[in-house]
Amino acid sequence: MDTLVKKSFDSNSTIAETKDIPSNVHRSIKCVLIILNSLQVFLGLTCCVGCLFVRFDTVYIKRLVRTYLMPVVADLMRTFGGSDYGIGYAINAYDTTEVLRWVALVFLVMTFILLLPALFGISGLCSKRSWLMTTYIVVTGVLVIAKIALIVLCYIRPDVIQDWIRTPLKVSLQTTYRGDTATDPVSVTWNLLMIKLSCCGVDNGRDFEFSRFNRDFTLQIFNQTLSISNLQTPLACCNSASRRTAFEPGACAKYPIRKDHTHYFEGCLEKIWSYVTQYSDAFILAAVVICSLEALQVILTCVFMELLKREMEDRKRRKSRTYRKGSDFFFPSVSEESLM
C-alpha cells in the first residue's frame, strides 16, 4: 500500500514538474524581451536627447564646429581679413541650429523608430494583451525588412542613396547659397565645406551655372578697392594661394581651368561619400546586429504568445474540470452499470 502511495505521489510530482516547465520558459522569455525592449527604449530616449541638443543648442556645437574648422576659419581670415567683409562677425553669428535642423530631424525619426515598437512590446508583455503584441510583431517585422532592404541597396546601388542626398544639396546650393561674402548660415556652411574638403559644388563647378550666388562684388583690401565680377564659381572653390593672388583677383573663379588653381572638377558629395564609406564596415556590422536582435525579438514574442495561449487554454480546461467535479458531487450521474 505504501509503495502504491509513493508511486502515485512520484507520478503526481513528475506531472507537476512537467507542467511547470512551460511556465518557466514563459517567464524566461518575458524577462529577455523586457530587457531587450528596455535597451531599445534607452536608445530611443538617447536619440530624443540628441535631437533636442542639436536643434536648440547654440553654444557647444558651435564651439566644436569652430575647433574642427579652425584652419578653414584662419584661411578665410587671411583672405578677407583686411576687407570690409565681416568674416569675424559671420563666424561669431554662425547659427548651427539652422544648419543642423536636418540632423535633428534624422534623430527625431530614429527616436520614433526605436521608441514606438519597444513601448508596444513592453505594454503587451506586461498586460498580456494579444493585440499589443501583434502590433509589436508587425511593426518590428516591417522595420527589420526595411532595414535589410536599405542595407542591400547601399551595398548594391550606392548611386541611388547618393541621388537621395544630391537633390536637397543642389536645391540648397542653387536657391539659398549667396556667395563668398554672404553671412547667412547656409552660405557660410557651403564656404567652410568647400574650403575644408577642397571641393566645388555638389558634383562639380557646373552646379553654379544656375546658382543665384553673388558673382559681382567689391572688396576693400588694404585701402585698395578691388572689383570682382563675372565669377563662374565662388572664391571658395579656389585653392588657398589662388584666392589671395595680387594678379587679377578672382581669376581662379572667373576662369576655372587650371586644376592646380581650382577645385572646379571635384564635387563635395563625392568627398563626403568617400569619408562616410571609410566606416561602411562598422555601419553594416551594427545594422546586421540590430536587425538580428529585432528578428530574435519577433521570434521570441511569437513563442511567448503561443505559450500564453496554451496557458489560457489549460486554465479553461482546469476550470471546466473543477466545475464538473462539483456538479457530479451534488448531482451524481447515473452510470450504465447501475441501469443494467
Side-chain angles (χ1 to χ4, degrees), residues 269-300:
L269 179 59
E270 191 64 33
K271 294 285 185 76
I272 295 171
W273 190 260
S274 300
Y275 179 78
V276 172
T277 51
Q278 291 178 1
Y279 307 96
S280 59
D281 293 339
F283 289 148
I284 290 174
L285 180 62
V288 168
V289 170
I290 291 171
C291 289
S292 301
L293 287 175
E294 289 179 341
L296 178 64
Q297 288 174 248
V298 170
I299 294 170
L300 289 177

Side-chain angles (χ1 to χ4, degrees), residues 105-147:
L105 181 61
V106 170
F107 273 112
L108 185 63
V109 171
M110 290 176 63
T111 299
F112 280 105
I113 289 175
L114 289 168
L115 271 183
L116 285 180
L119 291 177
F120 274 114
I122 292 174
S123 302
L125 290 168
C126 294
S127 64
K128 295 183 179 180
R129 300 277 179 88
S130 59
W131 70 270
L132 284 171
M133 288 185 280
T134 304
T135 305
Y136 169 73
I137 290 170
V138 172
V139 173
T140 306
V142 170
L143 289 176
V144 169
I145 293 171
K147 289 172 189 173

